[in-house]
Amino acid sequence: KMKKFTLAAALLLGLLALPAAAKEIVVLVGGDKEAGKALAKSSEGRWAKSLSKGLRLASRALAEGGEMTVVVKVAAGDYDGDIGSGAYQFPELNNKDAEFRLEGGYSPDFTQRDPFGTPTRFVTISERSAPLLQFHPSQPEPPSAQKAIKSLILDGVICDVGSSSNYDKKSSALIRGPATSTHAVIGWGATQVGYFEVRNCVFVNSPQRAFRTLLRPANETVKFRLYNNVFVNCVTPVRLDSAPSPQGKVVEIEVDHCSFLLNWAPSLDPSAGNPCALQLGTKDEVGKVTIKNSLFYANFGGAISALNKQNPALVLSDNNFVGNGLLQKEFESEAPILLVL
């Protein structure tokens, strides 16, 4: 005799049929040792004294494969690179089904987070010989060996490379030469990503571009996002582009609630390279660039440059442009909003 199939049984079978939720692995770095270890133990996470060790733990977790979220939470304080080198070489971050986040700004006991009130600062040394944060191997890899990750997010850190720059004692102006590092602040490499975001970060005193968004899109719908970041006293801080990918270009790069303050051109020649705070890549690298709710203040070479005839679609919305472009002999308070050379 057939037994009655109850609603409760149906619900139970439905729940059993659901896929298991992706696991989250949390690695706590720095702060108070006892508090960090206790919290890690209660949440099945890990605690590491140094960021170098924390990143190795994250890399091992990702290497297990499968869907997961790996979060490295870094306590407030100054971090000066692998064994004091002034730079961090990230270990392999390779799992196409995983999300990876590096979050700064945590209190010593990891119970609160305020990236701007209790900052996590990446600082360097005078002899910096690599990007401050290097997400790719020291030696270039062939395309067959390049890494992939579902989502890559950097959230809530301050990157200050002023110590690796040489400044004139009288004028405080940047001096080019052997005593000033020529490396960018961040080297992303050509990692393949399904999503990429930098948010709540500050980039200070970069003598070169802070970074390029030079990652490979995993498919033709991938978006990159810069949100609530500050770039101050840098030379031409950011280029919006992507690395060549068989899957196509990044469909859109969005810049939202960012501030570009007192940034500089590489030289006094306005025609020499990119002089502006923000540079657009080509339409072969990015489909559309959206810049909204952002502030461009006193950028000497200009606010935004589009140096190529084949530019991506550009959408500007609710931005504030003040005092940019003195190098271009533009003296109106809102000029130049967009500089096309």
Side-chain angles (χ1 to χ4, degrees):
K1 182 178 179 180
M2 184 181 293
K3 294 184 178 180
K4 185 180 292 184
F5 193 70
T6 66
L7 177 60
L11 289 173
L12 178 59
L13 287 175
L15 289 173
L16 292 174
L18 290 174
K23 61 183 177 181
E24 180 174 275
I25 299 168
V26 177
V27 179
L28 308 175
V29 174
D32 181 82
K33 179 180 179 179
E34 296 305 320
K37 282 191 169 184
L39 183 59
K41 184 177 180 180
S42 67
S43 60
E44 298 184 1
R46 303 285 183 87
W47 177 84
K49 180 179 180 180
S50 70
L51 180 60
S52 301
K53 184 176 180 180
L55 291 172
R56 288 197 297 271
L57 293 171
S59 176
R60 291 171 192 164
L62 290 167
E64 295 176 2
E67 293 186 12
M68 66 178 72
T69 298
V70 177
V71 186
V72 177
K73 299 182 177 182
V74 189
D78 287 357
Y79 295 81
D80 60 358
D82 296 318
I83 58 173
S85 64
Y88 285 99
Q89 168 73 65
F90 278 55
E92 181 176 286
L93 303 176
N94 190 26
N95 182 337
K96 65 181 180 60
D97 300 314
E99 300 182 15
F100 175 78
R101 298 200 310 271
L102 177 65
E103 299 178 343
Y106 283 90
S107 61
D109 60 2
F110 296 95
T111 59
Q112 299 181 50
R113 183 172 184 242
D114 182 356
F116 301 105
T118 53
T120 296
R121 297 177 65 243
F122 292 117
V123 295
T124 192
I125 60 175
S126 59
E127 298 84 14
R128 180 171 67 99
S129 59
L132 187 66
L133 305 179
Q134 185 166 307
F135 283 75
H136 57 87
S138 298
Q139 300 298 323
E141 292 183 323
S144 60
Q146 288 172 350
K147 307 303 184 290
I149 200 157
K150 183 178 179 181
S151 175
L152 176 60
I153 297 174
L154 179 65
D155 184 353
V157 301
I158 295 176
C159 296
D160 185 352
V161 295
S163 295
S164 60
S165 298
N166 183 23
Y167 295 94
D168 182 80
K169 292 182 179 180
K170 292 184 178 180
S171 66
S172 298
L174 178 69
I175 300 175
R176 297 288 183 182
T180 293
S181 175
T182 59
H183 294 277
V185 178
I186 300 182
W188 299 110
T191 300
Q192 178 178 289
V193 294
Y195 180 74
F196 168 70
E197 183 171 2
V198 179
R199 62 193 184 206
N200 308 315
C201 294
V202 180
F203 300 89
V204 190
N205 298 322
S206 176
Q208 298 284 80
R209 187 176 282 113
F211 61 82
R212 296 174 62 177
T213 55
L214 201 59
L215 298 107
R216 291 184 298 132
N219 56 65
E220 59 185 13
T221 66
V222 172
K223 294 184 178 181
F224 296 168
R225 186 173 187 240
L226 307 183
Y227 178 76
N228 197 37
N229 302 300
V230 179
F231 300 86
V232 57
N233 198 39
C234 299
V235 176
T236 60
V238 182
R239 188 179 195 272
L240 303 176
D241 52 12
S242 64
S245 172
Q247 286 70 35
K249 61 190 175 186
V250 59
V251 66
E252 181 183 8
I253 300 179
E254 180 183 87
V255 179
D256 185 9
H257 282 86
C258 291
S259 297
F260 299 85
L261 313 172
L262 295 166
N263 296 296
W264 306 93
S267 76
L268 294 176
D269 181 357
S271 64
N274 165 50
C276 296
L278 194 59
Q279 181 184 3
L280 307 188
T282 69
K283 69 177 184 179
D284 293 328
E285 298 167 330
V286 52
K288 179 172 73 171
V289 172
T290 300
I291 303 170
K292 60 184 182 180
N293 308 310
S294 294
L295 170 64
F296 293 81
Y297 173 76
N299 297 291
F300 184 62
I304 305 167
S305 65
L307 299 177
N308 305 282
K309 294 182 179 179
Q310 302 296 316
N311 293 306
L314 176 63
V315 177
L316 298 174
S317 174
D318 298 321
N319 300 294
N320 194 357
F321 297 88
V322 181
N324 300 287
L326 291 179
L327 180 63
Q328 312 295 329
K329 302 188 185 305
E330 298 283 356
F331 302 106
E332 297 178 11
S333 63
E334 295 183 358
I337 292 177
L338 177 65
L339 176 66
V340 181
L341 297 178

